Amino acid sequence: MTSFKKIARRTFLIGSAAIVGGVAFGAYKFTRPLENPLSAGPNEAALNPFIFIDQEGVTIITPRAEMGQGVHTTLAALAAEELDIAWEDVRVLHGPPAQAYYNSALMQSALPYPEYSKSAFMQSLSEAVGEVNKLLGMQLTGGSTSMMDGYERLRHAGASAREALKLAAADALQVSASSLRTENGRIIAPDGNSVSYSDMASLAAQIDPPQVELRPKSQWRYLGKTMPRVDMKGKVTGTAEFGIDVRREGMKFATLRMNPRLGGPMRSMDASAATAMAGVEKVIELDGGFAVVASNTWLAFQAADAVVADWGDAPYPHEQDGIWQAIEDSFASKPNSTLRNDGDADTLPEGANEISAEYRVPFLAHATMEPMNATAIYSGDALEIWCGNQGPTIMRDRCAEAVGLDSENVTLHTTLMGGGFGRRGESDFGVYASRVAKAMQGTPVQLTWTREEDMSHDFFRPATIGRYKGAVKDGKAVLLDAAVAGPSVTIGAMKRLTGFTAAGPDKVHVEGAFDQPYAIPNYRVKGHLSDLQMPIGFWRSVGNSVNAFMHDSFLDELAHAAGADPLTFRLEMMRSEHGPSAKVLETVAEMSGWSGKREPGIGRGVAFAYSFGTPVAQVIEVLDEDGTIRINRAWIAADLGTALDPGNLEAQLYGGMIYGLSAACFGEITFANGSVEQANFPDYDALRIHNAPVTEVRILENNAHLGGGGEPGTPPSMSALANALFDLTGKRARTLPLMHEFDLLT
């Protein structure tokens, strides 16, 4: 139906000098319309990059990837709200790789200040910084930014398309455009006559789209309500296409084995046993490993097991203890950042009671239910690839480089994906599929990773150590001094994603600690970076997943040292700092019936984290059942500023919490002899229905700006559980996962 133009690859160098000079030389580039990547045939219209109309109706082109978070539904609702089409007629496609689909919100949080303290001026400045991505053209789904990016863009796309259609109908019907109204995909004249959007598509395409005011919230029909998911029918009927479902005529199936010592070379291999197996087509040497192509995926798995490889050494310490030591050693280095430095953290206030604690969190895998996979066909002068991915322009460009083509000769189809969590923002699985396809020229090949390969060759959430010192006086916190050490997600990922080397203070490294809304008079957070040559990547909530556990756990320790109720202790420091954050704490207290009183056999913990523009408070309740601890109930309160789809937000906050609780209970990646020790779900477990808590979620709308929904449920979950375990057992957990210290229900 829809065809996509190829946009020639452009390379932009954005350094400090270019940013500073942007106002002088780049204003036109920042504000000019980007090329529409959609092309239309007869009786069709691509009114803008987001609205395509043909004789079957309207298709909304969404710029962000659907990985179960419901983004296609809410993005479609943003456009449909202004476009006036019936919800049952909404059709959605993921957009092609194109600069027009850049994520304007992705870089808005790059400025080194707490998000909760944004003034109107700082919000405007953040939005201006976000427009830098218009030059970079990064089409990424991540950072809980899809709604922040699409909130106005998709509504304006729908509104301008609607008005262009009305202008076309006014000309055709010989009436004034102001006399026309729109409803359910039709333009209706005062006399009741009407024409469909499809009828007017070609004429509307010739009209310069007008800019119009957006409808007020009071007139919303879809937004603010829980909408039926546009992807649900396909998923429950099995007709939805994920990357692993792709089938092409004459397709072969492949898998790969890479050096288990990550980043190490393959010295040699003996593939004779594999090539002797009936149905095995080819064994292909890759940089650091090999791929096996066969007539089916299971045979490829078996043949890969038959290959004998001599693996070289990894570039990092081979044992877990050596890795921890390298992280510890980085505390002796100069801090990369001190993004919060209130008062005098070096001096203990007179009469204050000082406490200190050290926390450790492990490497974590993403463990997406659908393992990494991609399908590709290489013809010699073109490459076509199908895969679920979070960064289409990056995936296209990296695959083009892998086979020696220009980007305009690569066609990428972004499918649905069975989980992303940041892992599918990487391009390695597409690059390997492209290289295998080049070795099998003219034959489509689907490359599927085994669960073991997927688990052990991830871009991991970094292991981190936090050293905290604090003091309390007269029932209040008067000092908090934190130092955080671990590998940098930003440095490695920015180089892979953009080709640029990140410089300056690493905000992501200390997010979840320096940017929390507490009025503590002496408050410092330092970040130390560990130089470990390991594959580190974005994991759901990124630095917040590390620091919220440590920071909030330490606040709980301070509360107990002060003899104060943990929830009241937090609330008293928060009220004067950020009202909406205080409100979510008050709300979760009311929801859970928080009394601060201990009950035999029951433990309750409270936690709070501000991340991705959204304050979230959680209370977790645990029970002692004959020595086994079960997570019984949970309460979540969150303030999204504007709740675009309350039901979907509830699901995201609940899912984010479960993801965090699973990691807190069971998640860890450890190394021995340079290799990952965990291989599959028996080694890397998750919560199931029987041990997941009954949960209540409440969405508030007091925050000044629209916040993210996909990740903020994760950060407070880990400390809420640890704090509940302390309330139950009197034992303070400072190291994750908790299964090593507590008998948790599995």
Side-chain angles (χ1 to χ4, degrees):
M1 179 191 66
T2 305
S3 56
F4 299 131
K5 296 176 187 174
K6 306 285 197 306
I7 297 181
R9 181 184 179 192
R10 299 176 176 89
T11 302
F12 296 96
L13 178 62
I14 303 296
S16 58
I19 297 295
V20 171
V23 175
F25 82 86
Y28 174 66
K29 289 186 178 183
F30 272 71
T31 58
R32 71 180 181 187
L34 296 173
E35 182 181 359
N36 188 345
L38 309 180
S39 61
N43 300 315
E44 297 177 342
L47 299 184
N48 54 57
F50 306 99
I51 307 297
F52 183 89
I53 303 176
D54 61 12
Q55 293 308 297
E56 296 178 17
V58 177
T59 298
I60 298 170
I61 309 298
T62 61
R64 305 292 163 251
E66 179 61 68
M67 49 190 133
Q69 82 278 40
V71 68
H72 279 186
T73 299
T74 310
L75 288 174
L78 289 166
E81 187 68 73
E82 294 286 344
L83 191 53
D84 285 338
I85 53 176
W87 188 251
E88 58 269 24
D89 295 332
V90 168
R91 298 180 299 168
V92 178
L93 284 178
H94 188 286
Q99 192 178 2
Y101 301 122
Y102 75 99
N103 188 332
S104 64
L106 198 64
M107 296 180 70
Q108 286 185 19
S109 61
L111 297 177
Y113 57 79
E115 294 293 304
Y116 74 85
S117 64
K118 274 185 179 178
S119 63
F121 169 75
M122 294 305 291
Q123 176 66 18
S124 298
L125 184 59
S126 290
E127 291 172 359
V129 171
E131 288 301 304
V132 171
N133 211 14
K134 190 173 186 178
L135 292 177
L136 295 173
M138 283 199 294
Q139 181 186 352
L140 281 169
T141 305
S144 297
T145 56
S146 293
M147 293 307 118
M148 289 182 271
D149 169 65
Y151 181 53
E152 292 196 356
R153 291 174 77 190
L154 269 296
R155 288 192 294 152
H156 276 298
S160 65
R162 180 193 74 228
E163 293 305 307
L165 289 161
K166 285 171 65 177
L167 290 170
D171 186 57
L173 299 173
Q174 293 298 294
V175 297
S176 68
S178 62
S179 70
L180 299 173
R181 63 184 180 90
T182 51
E183 183 179 347
N184 294 336
R186 300 191 70 84
I187 305 111
I188 304 168
D191 62 3
N193 287 329
S194 67
V195 291
S196 71
Y197 287 176
S198 295
D199 293 336
M200 294 294 103
S202 297
L203 290 174
Q206 301 171 32
I207 296 172
D208 188 22
Q211 292 299 309
V212 295
E213 291 293 319
L214 297 174
R215 288 170 174 164
K217 191 174 182 179
S218 60
Q219 294 181 15
W220 286 355
R221 293 190 304 150
Y222 301 144
L223 299 175
K225 299 178 177 62
T226 299
M227 299 302 296
R229 289 276 293 264
V230 297
D231 56 338
M232 193 56 65
K233 182 178 179 181
K235 288 178 176 178
V236 299
T237 59
T239 57
E241 186 177 64
F242 293 79
I244 209 165
D245 297 322
V246 171
R247 293 294 182 268
R248 310 300 296 170
E249 186 176 354
M251 191 164 82
K252 301 298 180 182
F253 301 86
T255 194
L256 83 172
R257 292 287 188 276
M258 304 304 291
N259 190 335
R261 301 183 188 108
L262 309 178
M266 182 176 70
R267 297 191 184 105
S268 64
M269 70 171 177
D270 179 0
S272 57
T275 55
M277 298 170 70
V280 172
E281 301 269 341
K282 199 170 191 177
V283 177
I284 302 163
E285 186 171 345
L286 301 170
D287 184 17
F290 62 87
V292 176
V293 182
S295 56
N296 63 73
T297 300
W298 181 247
L299 177 58
F301 287 178
Q302 299 304 301
D305 288 340
V307 176
V308 178
D310 180 18
W311 304 116
D313 290 336
Y316 48 83
H318 282 196
E319 304 301 326
Q320 187 64 39
D321 287 347
I323 294 171
W324 282 123
Q325 187 59 56
I327 294 173
E328 283 193 63
D329 291 346
S330 63
F331 281 112
S333 65
K334 181 181 178 181
N336 163 268
S337 70
T338 307
L339 291 183
R340 189 153 192 167
N341 194 11
D342 301 342
D344 179 8
D346 289 317
T347 303
L348 180 67
E350 185 177 351
N353 178 29
E354 183 179 18
I355 67 170
S356 61
E358 180 175 291
Y359 302 92
R360 293 190 178 211
V361 297
F363 293 105
L364 292 176
H366 295 83
T368 61
M369 192 57 62
E370 178 191 18
M372 297 302 106
N373 67 87
T375 299
I377 180 169
Y378 174 81
S379 64
D381 56 6
L383 174 72
E384 191 169 8
I385 186 164
W386 295 258
C387 65
N389 69 90
Q390 294 175 238
T393 52
I394 295 167
M395 179 66 78
R396 176 201 61 194
D397 293 350
R398 298 296 176 270
C399 292
E401 292 167 5
V403 297
L405 293 175
D406 292 332
S407 292
E408 59 261 30
N409 295 322
V410 175
T411 301
L412 173 66
H413 307 274
T414 297
T415 66
L416 297 173
M417 58 192 87
F421 315 122
R423 176 63 179 94
R424 284 188 161 92
E426 304 291 343
S427 57
D428 57 327
F429 54 96
V431 166
Y432 287 133
S434 299
R435 289 174 177 161
V436 171
K438 185 175 183 180
M440 298 288 293
Q441 184 169 336
T443 300
V445 182
Q446 183 176 83
L447 180 69
T448 304
W449 297 30
T450 63
R451 173 63 61 193
E452 291 77 9
E453 197 74 15
D454 182 277
M455 187 78 72
S456 61
H457 290 78
D458 205 338
F459 289 86
F460 303 106
R461 198 282 304 271
T464 306
I465 300 174
R467 290 177 176 171
Y468 276 71
K469 180 182 71 174
V472 293
K473 182 180 179 181
D474 300 329
K476 301 180 184 298
V478 293
L479 185 148
L480 191 153
D481 188 15
V484 180
S488 169
V489 173
T490 306
I491 290 175
M494 285 300 290
K495 186 70 173 177
R496 293 192 302 272
L497 295 176
T498 69
F500 305 133
T501 300
D506 188 341
K507 181 181 179 180
V508 172
H509 187 64
V510 291
E511 65 182 3
F514 91 94
D515 51 359
Q516 299 305 292
Y518 293 107
I520 300 174
N522 306 291
Y523 194 168
R524 181 171 64 189
V525 178
K526 297 180 293 185
H528 299 262
L529 303 185
S530 306
D531 186 12
L532 285 169
Q533 301 302 307
M534 305 182 76
I536 301 299
F538 295 108
W539 188 92
R540 192 174 191 173
S541 76
V542 205
N544 295 286
S545 72
V546 170
N547 293 304
F549 165 70
M550 298 189 290
H551 184 272
D552 189 85
S553 293
F554 191 65
L555 285 178
D556 212 67
E557 296 202 44
L558 288 174
H560 285 280
D565 172 72
L567 193 149
T568 304
F569 181 79
R570 291 169 172 82
L571 194 54
E572 288 180 351
M573 294 186 291
M574 191 180 286
R575 281 198 174 105
S576 63
E577 193 74 6
H578 190 239
S581 292
K583 187 63 178 178
V584 300
L585 261 179
E586 292 170 344
T587 300
V588 85
E590 179 265 317
M591 292 168 65
S592 63
W594 182 273
S595 67
K597 298 177 182 178
R598 296 187 64 183
E599 299 180 47
I602 299 175
R604 281 189 167 192
V606 64
F608 171 89
Y610 192 106
S611 63
F612 306 98
T614 300
V616 179
Q618 296 180 9
V619 169
I620 298 287
E621 179 182 275
V622 295
L623 302 181
D624 185 336
E625 298 180 329
D626 298 323
T628 298
I629 298 172
R630 177 167 64 88
I631 307 172
N632 184 47
R633 299 188 68 187
W635 296 266
I636 307 171
D639 193 329
L640 279 292
T642 300
L644 295 176
D645 188 316
N648 193 56
L649 287 170
E650 179 178 336
Q652 282 301 288
L653 289 162
Y654 176 70
M657 181 192 71
I658 293 296
Y659 198 70
L661 291 176
S662 295
C665 291
F666 312 117
E668 65 175 340
I669 292 293
T670 56
F671 289 81
N673 193 27
S675 302
V676 172
E677 294 186 286
Q678 293 72 25
N680 209 317
F681 287 118
D683 313 318
Y684 195 91
D685 209 350
L687 291 183
R688 316 295 175 94
I689 292 176
H690 74 280
N691 58 3
V694 175
T695 303
E696 180 184 346
V697 180
R698 192 173 298 176
I699 309 296
L700 284 70
E701 298 182 274
N702 300 312
N703 216 7
H705 308 292
L706 184 69
E711 295 168 273
T714 300
S717 62
M718 303 181 195
S719 53
L721 177 56
N723 296 336
L725 290 170
F726 175 78
D727 188 51
L728 176 68
T729 68
K731 184 177 183 180
R732 180 64 67 180
R734 293 172 176 160
T735 301
L736 299 180
L738 298 165
M739 65 179 181
H740 295 314
E741 298 184 65
F742 300 91
D743 185 7
L744 303 174
L745 179 65
T746 58

